[in-house]
């Protein structure tokens, strides 16, 4: 809510949304951990998108020449979004939706 404005009757004064919707919005988020850093994303967000939201421009992996690589095709063909998820290596991040508590590791 903006400074100096007043809450409408029946709204949550913090979020400025109808009462009860704040909890629904919180339920719509999941928290994942990318290289040890927590990130809350909307339920259904793909891992490749979460990487960009959490670390813009950083990407998922390093090329053999040590250059940053980012998701490219978005359909699992190029492999540039490969990450480790919950200990499982070489998972295509563009094909997996974030789940609560998911541990995602990039090449660093």
């Amino acid at each position: 809510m903006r400074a100096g404005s007043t809450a409408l009757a029946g709204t949550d004064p913090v979020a400025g949304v109808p009462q009860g919707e704040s909890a629904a919005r919180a339920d719509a988020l999941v928290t994942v951990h990318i290289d040890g850093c927590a990130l809350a994303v909307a339920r259904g967000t793909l891992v490749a998108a979460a990487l960009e939201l959490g670390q813009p421009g950083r990407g998922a992996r390093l090329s053999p020449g040590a250059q940053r690589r980012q998701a490219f095709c978005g359909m699992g063909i190029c492999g540039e979004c490969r990450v480790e998820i919950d200990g499982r290596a070489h998972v295509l991040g563009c094909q997996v939706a974030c789940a609560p508590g998911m541990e995602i590791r990039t090449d660093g």
Side-chain angles (χ1 to χ4, degrees):
M1 209 163 85
R2 292 187 184 140
S5 64
T6 58
L8 298 173
T11 63
D12 180 322
V14 176
V17 297
Q19 290 177 341
E21 280 190 35
S22 293
R25 286 186 183 181
D27 289 342
L29 296 177
V30 296
T31 300
V32 297
H33 300 273
I34 302 173
D35 294 328
C37 297
L39 176 69
V41 296
R43 188 173 300 279
T45 299
L46 294 175
V47 169
L51 292 173
E52 185 62 22
L53 290 169
Q55 303 167 343
R58 189 161 179 270
R61 54 189 284 307
L62 294 172
S63 71
Q67 295 180 346
R68 297 300 322 167
R69 305 294 293 185
Q70 292 181 296
F72 179 71
C73 72
M75 58 185 178
I77 301 299
C78 71
E80 296 297 344
C81 62
R82 287 189 319 258
V83 292
E84 179 182 301
I85 297 177
D86 295 331
R88 199 170 118 222
H90 306 293
V91 178
L92 298 173
C94 71
Q95 300 295 300
V96 178
C98 292
M102 185 178 272
E103 293 286 336
I104 303 163
R105 299 259 177 239
T106 66
D107 281 354

